[in-house]
Amino acid sequence: MRTPSRTPDRALLRDAAAIAAAMVAVGGSFGAIAISYGLPVWVPFLMSTAVFAGGAQFLAVGLIAAGNPLAAVLAGLLLNARHLPFGLAVSGTVGPRLRDRLIGSHLMTDEVVAFTLAERDPARRRRTYWLIGITLFTSWNLGTALGVWLGAAAGDPVSFGLDAAFPAALIALILPSLRDRDTRVVALVGAAVAVALTPVLPAGLPVLCALLGLGAVFLPRPRAPRGTGAGRPVAAEEASC
């Protein structure tokens, strides 16, 4: 009788272990890159524990190293704005107590929300949220520590290509979304705007200006030529007569 109820938990633990391994690798990349930018050792540790924002941390250390902390703050706020609807979606799962909400909101990431919403049973949702959240937080900070240690011991981590690890991961994540035409247009226009403005704007601002690519959604679409689409059934009827 207990085997069916324990099987999903084993699958969840297996998934948690797999995603923890990935977080150690990406966190290590973050720690090494932060050191390569010449930031103090305590900065990546403080960000990984107090901020715990993944992509926003990569962007922030780059902008801070470039001397534009204001752009780092604005970019971080924009990247993490998605957590507002995420919080509404999992508010009932985290728990009613203030302590649970404060800690739970800090542990909330894309992966945690995705794993949680995949569960239908409320009890399993709550267990999944806290297991994945604590696992990711722990593995991310462990990876950061390893990256800082390796970065300090190996010299320039950029020479090993670690600076490309996170952008490569992001590209891999967004590739399935590019199958949609509107998404492709927005991404291409945003990328073109950012590249065009990079030589003339301070570091960080071209990334924010890439949001102008969203305006491409409102551009008029070309109309289909006459005689195609809806006109084909009429032609078929005429031929049958």
Side-chain angles (χ1 to χ4, degrees):
M1 295 294 293
R2 298 180 62 185
T3 303
S5 62
R6 294 177 63 181
T7 302
D9 290 337
R10 291 178 179 176
L12 179 61
L13 290 174
R14 184 176 63 248
D15 293 339
I19 199 171
M23 284 298 101
V24 169
V26 181
S29 174
F30 167 72
I33 289 173
I35 294 299
S36 72
Y37 285 154
L39 298 177
V41 173
W42 58 267
V43 171
F45 286 110
L46 179 62
M47 293 186 68
S48 290
T49 54
V51 180
F52 185 48
Q57 290 182 216
F58 278 90
L59 184 59
V61 294
L63 295 177
I64 292 173
N68 202 336
L70 179 59
V73 173
L74 294 176
L77 290 174
L78 287 173
L79 283 177
N80 292 321
R82 68 190 187 281
H83 285 189
L84 293 175
F86 285 174
L88 294 175
V90 299
S91 60
T93 300
V94 175
R97 292 184 295 182
L98 179 61
R99 181 197 64 185
D100 294 340
R101 290 184 175 273
L102 290 176
I103 300 176
S105 62
H106 187 61
L107 297 178
M108 184 172 58
T109 63
D110 299 21
E111 297 84 1
V112 173
V113 173
F115 273 92
T116 300
L117 296 182
E119 301 291 342
R120 296 184 178 181
D121 180 66
R124 271 192 64 83
R125 273 194 171 192
R126 182 175 176 83
R127 186 163 61 249
T128 299
Y129 187 93
W130 289 103
L131 174 63
I132 299 297
I134 293 173
T135 299
L136 290 184
F137 182 81
T138 304
S139 57
W140 177 264
N141 280 275
L142 175 61
T144 300
L146 289 175
V148 169
W149 176 69
L150 291 174
D156 185 9
V158 178
S159 61
F160 297 97
L162 290 178
D163 58 322
F166 189 72
L170 284 181
I171 292 174
L173 287 173
I174 67 171
L175 279 178
S177 301
L178 296 180
R179 296 173 182 172
D180 178 69
R181 178 187 177 277
D182 290 338
T183 304
R184 286 199 306 272
V185 172
V186 169
L188 290 174
V189 173
V193 170
V195 171
L197 295 179
T198 295
V200 296
L201 291 181
L205 292 183
V207 176
L208 299 179
C209 292
L211 292 173
L212 296 174
L214 293 171
V217 177
F218 303 101
L219 295 176
R221 296 185 180 183
R223 295 182 179 180
R226 293 184 178 181
T228 62
R232 290 178 180 174
V234 176
E237 292 178 2
E238 293 177 351
S240 63
C241 293

